[in-house]
PDB file of all heavy atoms in Angstrom:
ATOM      1  N   ARG A 599      35.753  78.716  96.489  1.00 81.00           N
ATOM      2  CA  ARG A 599      34.921  78.680  95.248  1.00 81.00           C
ATOM      3  C   ARG A 599      33.709  79.453  95.353  1.00 81.00           C
ATOM      4  O   ARG A 599      33.148  79.938  94.375  1.00 81.00           O
ATOM      5  CB  ARG A 599      34.634  77.256  94.962  1.00 81.00           C
ATOM      6  CG  ARG A 599      35.883  76.333  94.525  1.00 81.00           C
ATOM      7  CD  ARG A 599      35.456  74.887  94.309  1.00 81.00           C
ATOM      8  NE  ARG A 599      36.613  74.079  94.039  1.00 81.00           N
ATOM      9  CZ  ARG A 599      36.461  72.739  93.733  1.00 81.00           C
ATOM     10  NH1 ARG A 599      35.416  72.133  94.023  1.00 81.00           N
ATOM     11  NH2 ARG A 599      37.568  72.122  93.374  1.00 81.00           N
ATOM     12  N   ARG A 749      39.488  56.251 106.429  1.00 43.00           N
ATOM     13  CA  ARG A 749      40.245  57.445 106.046  1.00 43.00           C
ATOM     14  C   ARG A 749      41.321  57.031 105.047  1.00 43.00           C
ATOM     15  O   ARG A 749      41.604  57.749 104.139  1.00 43.00           O
ATOM     16  CB  ARG A 749      40.911  57.970 107.231  1.00 43.00           C
ATOM     17  CG  ARG A 749      40.072  58.769 108.334  1.00 43.00           C
ATOM     18  CD  ARG A 749      40.875  59.840 109.025  1.00 43.00           C
ATOM     19  NE  ARG A 749      42.075  59.232 109.522  1.00 43.00           N
ATOM     20  CZ  ARG A 749      42.217  58.717 110.805  1.00 43.00           C
ATOM     21  NH1 ARG A 749      41.198  58.677 111.488  1.00 43.00           N
ATOM     22  NH2 ARG A 749      43.406  58.342 111.080  1.00 43.00           N
ATOM     23  N   LEU A 750      41.682  55.798 105.155  1.00 42.00           N
ATOM     24  CA  LEU A 750      42.813  55.387 104.272  1.00 42.00           C
ATOM     25  C   LEU A 750      42.329  55.234 102.761  1.00 42.00           C
ATOM     26  O   LEU A 750      43.019  55.363 101.758  1.00 42.00           O
ATOM     27  CB  LEU A 750      43.451  54.091 104.683  1.00 42.00           C
ATOM     28  CG  LEU A 750      44.290  54.145 105.979  1.00 42.00           C
ATOM     29  CD1 LEU A 750      44.773  52.753 106.356  1.00 42.00           C
ATOM     30  CD2 LEU A 750      45.453  55.011 105.710  1.00 42.00           C
ATOM     31  N   VAL A 751      40.974  54.879 102.689  1.00 41.00           N
ATOM     32  CA  VAL A 751      40.546  54.758 101.242  1.00 41.00           C
ATOM     33  C   VAL A 751      39.868  56.017 100.723  1.00 41.00           C
ATOM     34  O   VAL A 751      39.385  56.051  99.604  1.00 41.00           O
ATOM     35  CB  VAL A 751      39.433  53.625 101.217  1.00 41.00           C
ATOM     36  CG1 VAL A 751      40.018  52.358 101.768  1.00 41.00           C
ATOM     37  CG2 VAL A 751      38.220  54.007 102.130  1.00 41.00           C
ATOM     38  N   THR A 752      39.981  57.146 101.501  1.00 44.00           N
ATOM     39  CA  THR A 752      39.447  58.447 100.966  1.00 44.00           C
ATOM     40  C   THR A 752      40.373  58.893  99.808  1.00 44.00           C
ATOM     41  O   THR A 752      41.555  58.824  99.869  1.00 44.00           O
ATOM     42  CB  THR A 752      39.425  59.494 102.090  1.00 44.00           C
ATOM     43  OG1 THR A 752      38.654  58.894 103.192  1.00 44.00           O
ATOM     44  CG2 THR A 752      38.899  60.723 101.583  1.00 44.00           C
ATOM     45  N   SER A 753      39.797  59.353  98.854  1.00 43.00           N
ATOM     46  CA  SER A 753      40.565  59.770  97.612  1.00 43.00           C
ATOM     47  C   SER A 753      41.379  61.041  97.902  1.00 43.00           C
ATOM     48  O   SER A 753      40.967  61.817  98.841  1.00 43.00           O
ATOM     49  CB  SER A 753      39.648  60.081  96.493  1.00 43.00           C
ATOM     50  OG  SER A 753      38.797  61.243  96.725  1.00 43.00           O
ATOM     51  N   SER A 754      42.499  61.093  97.308  1.00 44.00           N
ATOM     52  CA  SER A 754      43.468  62.279  97.429  1.00 44.00           C
ATOM     53  C   SER A 754      42.728  63.534  96.987  1.00 44.00           C
ATOM     54  O   SER A 754      43.031  64.659  97.476  1.00 44.00           O
ATOM     55  CB  SER A 754      44.744  62.016  96.705  1.00 44.00           C
ATOM     56  OG  SER A 754      44.501  61.852  95.316  1.00 44.00           O
ATOM     57  N   GLU A 755      41.909  63.327  95.947  1.00 44.00           N
ATOM     58  CA  GLU A 755      41.162  64.670  95.385  1.00 44.00           C
ATOM     59  C   GLU A 755      40.246  65.244  96.573  1.00 44.00           C
ATOM     60  O   GLU A 755      40.245  66.445  96.679  1.00 44.00           O
ATOM     61  CB  GLU A 755      40.421  64.276  94.235  1.00 44.00           C
ATOM     62  CG  GLU A 755      39.714  65.373  93.479  1.00 44.00           C
ATOM     63  CD  GLU A 755      40.742  66.178  92.708  1.00 44.00           C
ATOM     64  OE1 GLU A 755      41.878  65.572  92.474  1.00 44.00           O
ATOM     65  OE2 GLU A 755      40.461  67.385  92.388  1.00 44.00           O
ATOM     66  N   GLU A 756      39.518  64.356  97.222  1.00 44.00           N
ATOM     67  CA  GLU A 756      38.649  64.825  98.224  1.00 44.00           C
ATOM     68  C   GLU A 756      39.473  65.410  99.418  1.00 44.00           C
ATOM     69  O   GLU A 756      39.119  66.435 100.058  1.00 44.00           O
ATOM     70  CB  GLU A 756      37.810  63.656  98.819  1.00 44.00           C
ATOM     71  CG  GLU A 756      36.861  64.119  99.909  1.00 44.00           C
ATOM     72  CD  GLU A 756      36.022  62.949 100.463  1.00 44.00           C
ATOM     73  OE1 GLU A 756      36.012  61.855  99.771  1.00 44.00           O
ATOM     74  OE2 GLU A 756      35.276  63.086 101.375  1.00 44.00           O
ATOM     75  N   SER A 757      40.676  64.701  99.780  1.00 43.00           N
ATOM     76  CA  SER A 757      41.482  65.235 100.861  1.00 43.00           C
ATOM     77  C   SER A 757      41.935  66.510 100.574  1.00 43.00           C
ATOM     78  O   SER A 757      42.107  67.498 101.434  1.00 43.00           O
ATOM     79  CB  SER A 757      42.620  64.229 101.023  1.00 43.00           C
ATOM     80  OG  SER A 757      43.507  64.772 101.988  1.00 43.00           O
ATOM     81  N   ASN A 758      42.443  66.786  99.295  1.00 44.00           N
ATOM     82  CA  ASN A 758      43.017  68.054  98.960  1.00 44.00           C
ATOM     83  C   ASN A 758      41.932  69.174  99.001  1.00 44.00           C
ATOM     84  O   ASN A 758      42.229  70.430  99.322  1.00 44.00           O
ATOM     85  CB  ASN A 758      43.576  68.070  97.596  1.00 44.00           C
ATOM     86  CG  ASN A 758      44.971  67.360  97.517  1.00 44.00           C
ATOM     87  OD1 ASN A 758      45.629  67.326  98.621  1.00 44.00           O
ATOM     88  ND2 ASN A 758      45.335  66.775  96.427  1.00 44.00           N
ATOM     89  N   SER A 759      40.656  68.880  98.559  1.00 41.00           N
ATOM     90  CA  SER A 759      39.683  69.890  98.603  1.00 41.00           C
ATOM     91  C   SER A 759      39.290  70.271  99.993  1.00 41.00           C
ATOM     92  O   SER A 759      38.844  71.457 100.167  1.00 41.00           O
ATOM     93  CB  SER A 759      38.455  69.360  97.917  1.00 41.00           C
ATOM     94  OG  SER A 759      37.906  68.172  98.550  1.00 41.00           O
ATOM     95  N   GLU A 760      39.494  69.393 100.984  1.00 43.00           N
ATOM     96  CA  GLU A 760      39.111  69.744 102.382  1.00 43.00           C
ATOM     97  C   GLU A 760      40.307  70.331 103.148  1.00 43.00           C
ATOM     98  O   GLU A 760      40.174  70.803 104.228  1.00 43.00           O
ATOM     99  CB  GLU A 760      38.598  68.454 103.066  1.00 43.00           C
ATOM    100  CG  GLU A 760      37.288  68.013 102.567  1.00 43.00           C
ATOM    101  CD  GLU A 760      36.829  66.793 103.231  1.00 43.00           C
ATOM    102  OE1 GLU A 760      37.535  66.242 104.090  1.00 43.00           O
ATOM    103  OE2 GLU A 760      35.697  66.238 102.989  1.00 43.00           O
ATOM    104  N   ARG A 761      41.521  70.288 102.615  1.00 44.00           N
ATOM    105  CA  ARG A 761      42.626  70.692 103.373  1.00 44.00           C
ATOM    106  C   ARG A 761      42.681  72.169 103.329  1.00 44.00           C
ATOM    107  O   ARG A 761      42.734  72.803 102.322  1.00 44.00           O
ATOM    108  CB  ARG A 761      43.973  70.115 102.690  1.00 44.00           C
ATOM    109  CG  ARG A 761      45.172  70.378 103.469  1.00 44.00           C
ATOM    110  CD  ARG A 761      46.287  69.515 102.861  1.00 44.00           C
ATOM    111  NE  ARG A 761      45.978  68.123 102.729  1.00 44.00           N
ATOM    112  CZ  ARG A 761      46.772  67.294 101.990  1.00 44.00           C
ATOM    113  NH1 ARG A 761      47.721  67.748 101.308  1.00 44.00           N
ATOM    114  NH2 ARG A 761      46.327  66.005 101.905  1.00 44.00           N
ATOM    115  N   PRO A 762      42.854  72.770 104.602  1.00 47.00           N
ATOM    116  CA  PRO A 762      42.529  74.280 104.595  1.00 47.00           C
ATOM    117  C   PRO A 762      43.896  74.983 104.291  1.00 47.00           C
ATOM    118  O   PRO A 762      43.863  76.223 104.111  1.00 47.00           O
ATOM    119  CB  PRO A 762      42.232  74.458 106.090  1.00 47.00           C
ATOM    120  CG  PRO A 762      42.831  73.320 106.771  1.00 47.00           C
ATOM    121  CD  PRO A 762      42.945  72.171 105.854  1.00 47.00           C
ATOM    122  N   ASN A 765      49.020  72.968 101.076  1.00 57.00           N
ATOM    123  CA  ASN A 765      49.313  71.760 100.200  1.00 57.00           C
ATOM    124  C   ASN A 765      48.278  71.821  98.967  1.00 57.00           C
ATOM    125  O   ASN A 765      48.481  71.755  97.799  1.00 57.00           O
ATOM    126  CB  ASN A 765      49.243  70.510 100.963  1.00 57.00           C
ATOM    127  CG  ASN A 765      50.556  70.195 101.662  1.00 57.00           C
ATOM    128  OD1 ASN A 765      51.346  71.020 101.530  1.00 57.00           O
ATOM    129  ND2 ASN A 765      50.599  69.176 102.391  1.00 57.00           N
ATOM    130  N   GLY A 766      46.976  72.005  99.368  1.00 58.00           N
ATOM    131  CA  GLY A 766      45.875  72.075  98.340  1.00 58.00           C
ATOM    132  C   GLY A 766      46.051  73.197  97.496  1.00 58.00           C
ATOM    133  O   GLY A 766      45.831  73.225  96.251  1.00 58.00           O
ATOM    134  N   LEU A 767      46.487  74.382  98.020  1.00 59.00           N
ATOM    135  CA  LEU A 767      46.525  75.662  97.249  1.00 59.00           C
ATOM    136  C   LEU A 767      47.538  75.585  96.205  1.00 59.00           C
ATOM    137  O   LEU A 767      47.387  76.037  95.098  1.00 59.00           O
ATOM    138  CB  LEU A 767      46.873  76.765  98.233  1.00 59.00           C
ATOM    139  CG  LEU A 767      45.576  77.159  99.091  1.00 59.00           C
ATOM    140  CD1 LEU A 767      45.963  78.249 100.047  1.00 59.00           C
ATOM    141  CD2 LEU A 767      44.414  77.644  98.253  1.00 59.00           C
ATOM    142  N   VAL A 769      48.736  72.807  94.794  1.00 50.00           N
ATOM    143  CA  VAL A 769      48.445  71.803  93.796  1.00 50.00           C
ATOM    144  C   VAL A 769      47.435  72.319  92.660  1.00 50.00           C
ATOM    145  O   VAL A 769      47.515  72.337  91.638  1.00 50.00           O
ATOM    146  CB  VAL A 769      48.042  70.488  94.362  1.00 50.00           C
ATOM    147  CG1 VAL A 769      47.651  69.517  93.307  1.00 50.00           C
ATOM    148  CG2 VAL A 769      49.188  69.913  95.233  1.00 50.00           C
ATOM    149  N   ARG A 770      46.306  72.806  93.344  1.00 44.00           N
ATOM    150  CA  ARG A 770      45.286  73.258  92.504  1.00 44.00           C
ATOM    151  C   ARG A 770      44.430  74.328  93.243  1.00 44.00           C
ATOM    152  O   ARG A 770      43.876  74.115  94.246  1.00 44.00           O
ATOM    153  CB  ARG A 770      44.213  72.031  92.287  1.00 44.00           C
ATOM    154  CG  ARG A 770      43.136  72.337  91.323  1.00 44.00           C
ATOM    155  CD  ARG A 770      42.168  71.136  91.149  1.00 44.00           C
ATOM    156  NE  ARG A 770      41.896  70.486  92.452  1.00 44.00           N
ATOM    157  CZ  ARG A 770      40.868  70.957  93.235  1.00 44.00           C
ATOM    158  NH1 ARG A 770      40.264  72.024  92.894  1.00 44.00           N
ATOM    159  NH2 ARG A 770      40.591  70.301  94.417  1.00 44.00           N
ATOM    160  N   HIS A 771      44.428  75.457  92.551  1.00 44.00           N
ATOM    161  CA  HIS A 771      43.725  76.678  93.052  1.00 44.00           C
ATOM    162  C   HIS A 771      42.218  76.475  92.724  1.00 44.00           C
ATOM    163  O   HIS A 771      41.866  76.081  91.643  1.00 44.00           O
ATOM    164  CB  HIS A 771      44.320  77.940  92.568  1.00 44.00           C
ATOM    165  CG  HIS A 771      43.767  79.086  93.260  1.00 44.00           C
ATOM    166  ND1 HIS A 771      42.770  79.826  92.856  1.00 44.00           N
ATOM    167  CD2 HIS A 771      44.152  79.639  94.388  1.00 44.00           C
ATOM    168  CE1 HIS A 771      42.475  80.824  93.591  1.00 44.00           C
ATOM    169  NE2 HIS A 771      43.299  80.761  94.608  1.00 44.00           N
ATOM    170  N   PRO A 772      41.344  76.907  93.648  1.00 43.00           N
ATOM    171  CA  PRO A 772      39.838  76.824  93.328  1.00 43.00           C
ATOM    172  C   PRO A 772      39.462  77.508  92.070  1.00 43.00           C
ATOM    173  O   PRO A 772      38.524  76.930  91.421  1.00 43.00           O
ATOM    174  CB  PRO A 772      39.210  77.420  94.533  1.00 43.00           C
ATOM    175  CG  PRO A 772      40.273  77.298  95.646  1.00 43.00           C
ATOM    176  CD  PRO A 772      41.538  77.360  94.976  1.00 43.00           C
ATOM    177  N   ALA A 774      41.017  77.756  89.296  1.00 40.00           N
ATOM    178  CA  ALA A 774      41.720  77.236  88.157  1.00 40.00           C
ATOM    179  C   ALA A 774      40.762  76.320  87.403  1.00 40.00           C
ATOM    180  O   ALA A 774      39.959  75.684  88.035  1.00 40.00           O
ATOM    181  CB  ALA A 774      42.970  76.501  88.450  1.00 40.00           C
TER     182      ALA A 774
END
Side-chain angles (χ1 to χ4, degrees):
R599 293 176 178 177
R749 289 207 314 267
L750 290 176
V751 298
T752 303
S753 65
S754 60
E755 188 73 20
E756 179 181 352
S757 175
N758 285 334
S759 64
E760 295 179 354
R761 190 171 302 166
N765 281 359
L767 291 173
V769 175
R770 179 180 53 79
H771 191 265

